[in-house]
Amino acid sequence: MDRETVVPHVDSMPGERAKEWASYHQEHAAPSTYVYDFVWDITEDAEGPFCTDVDGNVLLDFTSHVAAAPLGYNNPKLLDRMAEFDLVDPTKIAGQDFYVSDGSSPGEEELPGPAALMDKLADLTSHYGMDTVFLSNSGAEAVENAIKIAYDNSGGAKYGITFEGAFHGRTLGALSLNRSKSVYRRNFPEISGVFDVPFCDDRSCTAETCSCGFFPDPESAVSKLRQKLHPKKGNVDASEVSYVIVEPIQGEGGYRFPSDAFADELASVVEDYDLTLIADEIQTGVGRTGEMWGADHYPMEPDIITGAKGLRVGATISNSDIFPEEKSRLSSTWGAGDILSSMQGVFTLEAIEEYDLMDNAVARGRQFKETMRDAAPDAVVDVRGKGLLLGVEFDTHERRNAVLEAALKRGLLTLACGYKVLRILPPLDVTEREIDIGAEMLLDAIEDVS
Ligand SMILES: Cc1ncc(COP(=O)(O)O)c(C=O)c1O
């Protein structure tokens, strides 16, 4: 496959073999969120956003596996470096009890492992005063550990604050922070003392004109968050708040971008009340938005960052002062033990820097938005994004779903989020040609269902 000339082509999507594989997979797999019967054939050609499925269809994947494969398929920027690694067993060690190295001196690794990944992450968060990392297995675990260290650091403060529309994972602690679809919390026990306030996502909102509910009173321009914490009128004592957790840009909730007024007020309330701010960067981090972290776009100054997806492992990042000193407060067999994933994480971060992929994300994201806005299909009510975290909002839920299906039939993979939004997540090194092809396919799908 030549990435520079290949074009998607589809005989039938999903084809017969994909249906067979999907039903084989589901025979013993617990029901989860499978979106469509796309079955990647790992033995066939794939590069960048292009891949071949088990029926020989060549697809354009603008999901990047929900941002978890930030450089797409078989990217030589990664694979060429990983080719130096002769597979060993185990590739996952009990990293909370043991260390690993490639035999070189620390900091000079050809084959970087968990220590190098933590070193890199500390470096990439040093502007927030962070220097310490706890690696884990997933995004939800990164969130669990973030709230654990926040609870511990606040000496028993019992409240947490989250935002309407939020998604932070599916484990019992993390799910308590969710305020997007009810399916994430229904019938599950939750940690107590989690309050929510609106997330103001109308980009035109100001404190005086806000219709999102975050600034409920245009006269006073005092936010709900500030009202809640008011020493006399509020219903939550700020000294008992252990953390405020926010996705700098909401993901599952519908690619909701905070208004400037919201971002300013959040930063100022956190500062005024000296609250611990957790930025959940599991979807927005690792260069996806054109900055290393979503928070870098806004005035917020996180005390704790959670990462996962593009890093290939979960990461809770903060300052050593916030992490518990006592042994065994945090641990996990495979925390800091996944050699292969850590290596992929380091190479990904290095590729982002070496090949200016954040600049590319900004330029290609702009190209996508301009193309979609210029075409201005009636069914589309908003095209938004930062870098390559892009959302297309439709007039109805049904239309969004129909467009997702129509795009799939043409060989373009996209994902839904929120109620009416399609998310577009091309790999960070996507080219101008690939964006043109993808936007064209999407516009064609929209026209088809209109
Ligand atoms: C913002 C955010 N937080 C947490 C998670 C949970 O991550 P994981 O699925 O790796 O547990 C996700 C996953 O989509 C996410 O988008």
Side-chain angles (χ1 to χ4, degrees):
M1 176 182 282
D2 180 353
R3 183 173 171 179
E4 285 173 25
T5 52
V6 65
V7 281
H9 55 87
V10 168
D11 282 335
S12 157
M13 186 68 205
E16 287 311 310
R17 299 198 64 221
K19 287 186 209 157
E20 272 174 47
W21 270 95
S23 68
Y24 170 51
H25 182 105
Q26 287 182 9
E27 209 171 307
H28 298 291
S32 189
T33 33
Y34 305 104
V35 184
Y36 36 62
D37 293 351
F38 152 58
V39 183
W40 172 32
D41 184 342
I42 56 173
T43 66
E44 289 295 333
D45 282 347
E47 198 180 327
F50 299 103
C51 70
T52 310
D53 79 356
V54 276
D55 294 286
N57 298 311
V58 174
L59 308 170
L60 181 65
D61 184 343
F62 270 9
T63 72
S64 298
H65 291 255
V66 204
L71 302 187
Y73 295 88
N74 296 332
N75 199 308
K77 296 177 181 80
L78 222 85
L79 268 196
D80 288 355
R81 298 193 62 192
M82 296 199 66
E84 300 293 309
F85 178 54
D86 288 331
L87 207 56
V88 293
D89 182 64
T91 52
K92 278 170 102 170
I93 60 160
Q96 294 300 314
D97 299 307
F98 302 97
Y99 307 99
V100 68
S101 105
D102 69 351
S104 64
S105 296
E108 291 174 11
E109 307 93 324
E110 292 285 312
L111 297 173
L117 181 58
M118 292 188 281
D119 190 39
K120 192 103 196 107
L121 288 173
D123 190 38
L124 292 171
T125 54
S126 58
H127 55 303
Y128 295 123
M130 299 183 188
D131 55 17
T132 304
V133 184
F134 180 77
L135 294 181
S136 53
N137 306 283
S138 66
E141 273 183 76
V143 170
E144 295 282 333
N145 286 296
I147 60 175
K148 265 178 78 176
I149 65 172
Y151 281 125
D152 195 44
N153 182 248
S154 57
K158 56 187 181 229
Y159 298 132
I161 294 179
T162 186
F163 292 91
E164 285 172 13
F167 181 82
H168 296 290
R170 290 179 167 86
T171 50
L172 282 177
L175 73 82
S176 316
L177 310 166
N178 292 343
R179 293 295 184 275
S180 36
K181 298 186 186 88
S182 64
V183 65
Y184 303 131
R185 289 196 292 153
R186 192 189 315 126
N187 295 345
F188 298 130
E190 294 174 40
I191 50 176
S192 61
V194 179
F195 295 94
D196 53 65
V197 285
F199 182 96
C200 171
D201 73 330
D202 178 339
R203 301 194 290 281
S204 64
C205 271
T206 65
E208 293 74 27
T209 61
C210 178
S211 56
C212 306
F214 184 65
F215 295 101
D217 175 12
E219 295 279 294
S220 68
V222 175
S223 70
K224 275 244 168 97
L225 181 58
R226 199 177 282 280
Q227 282 180 354
K228 204 168 241 333
L229 301 171
H230 190 279
K232 297 219 167 62
K233 291 185 272 180
N235 57 9
V236 176
D237 187 329
S239 69
E240 296 215 274
V241 174
S242 173
Y243 57 85
V244 178
I245 185 162
V246 68
E247 295 159 271
I249 299 157
Q250 288 191 338
E252 299 294 312
Y255 278 24
R256 302 175 76 213
F257 291 74
S259 65
D260 289 345
F262 173 89
D264 288 345
E265 174 69 350
L266 173 61
S268 127
V269 172
V270 164
E271 193 180 333
D272 291 350
Y273 288 100
D274 195 20
L275 303 173
T276 297
L277 181 65
I278 305 172
D280 181 344
E281 297 274 7
I282 288 159
Q283 196 148 161
T284 49
V286 194
R288 170 66 43 196
T289 65
E291 294 282 353
M292 187 49 69
W293 309 108
D296 294 343
H297 292 280
Y298 304 105
M300 56 186 97
E301 291 268 329
D303 301 289
I304 304 172
I305 283 181
T306 58
K309 293 196 189 279
L311 292 178
R312 319 300 174 105
V313 294
T316 306
I317 314 164
S318 187
N319 182 273
S320 58
D321 290 345
I322 291 183
F323 277 94
E325 267 178 36
E326 194 183 338
K327 263 189 168 185
S328 301
R329 293 287 280 174
L330 306 180
S331 192
S332 158
T333 303
W334 284 334
D338 193 331
I339 302 168
L340 203 58
S341 299
S342 299
M343 194 182 303
Q344 286 170 301
V346 174
F347 289 154
T348 300
L349 292 169
E350 286 179 356
I352 289 172
E353 284 172 336
E354 189 177 339
Y355 299 100
D356 296 325
L357 297 187
M358 291 191 280
D359 290 347
N360 189 60
V362 172
R364 300 285 68 87
R366 188 181 306 123
Q367 178 195 345
F368 178 84
K369 283 184 287 188
E370 280 171 8
T371 310
M372 295 302 295
R373 285 173 186 162
D374 287 351
D378 287 344
V380 171
V381 298
D382 192 24
V383 179
R384 53 183 178 258
K386 279 201 190 292
L388 288 167
L389 188 131
L390 297 157
V392 179
E393 181 167 340
F394 289 86
D395 50 355
T396 65
H397 175 72
E398 291 68 28
R399 179 109 57 190
R400 187 276 311 273
N401 291 350
V403 170
L404 188 143
E405 278 298 319
L408 182 70
K409 296 270 178 263
R410 287 162 171 75
L412 174 68
L413 301 180
T414 61
L415 287 168
C417 62
Y419 194 60
K420 297 188 293 183
V421 180
L422 207 60
R423 54 183 147 178
I424 309 290
L425 295 165
L428 297 180
D429 70 342
V430 71
T431 63
E432 188 173 347
R433 183 184 92 94
E434 291 159 359
I435 289 287
D436 274 341
I437 296 175
E440 205 49 49
M441 289 169 86
L442 183 59
L443 286 167
D444 199 36
I446 295 171
E447 195 181 310
D448 190 15
V449 304
S450 298

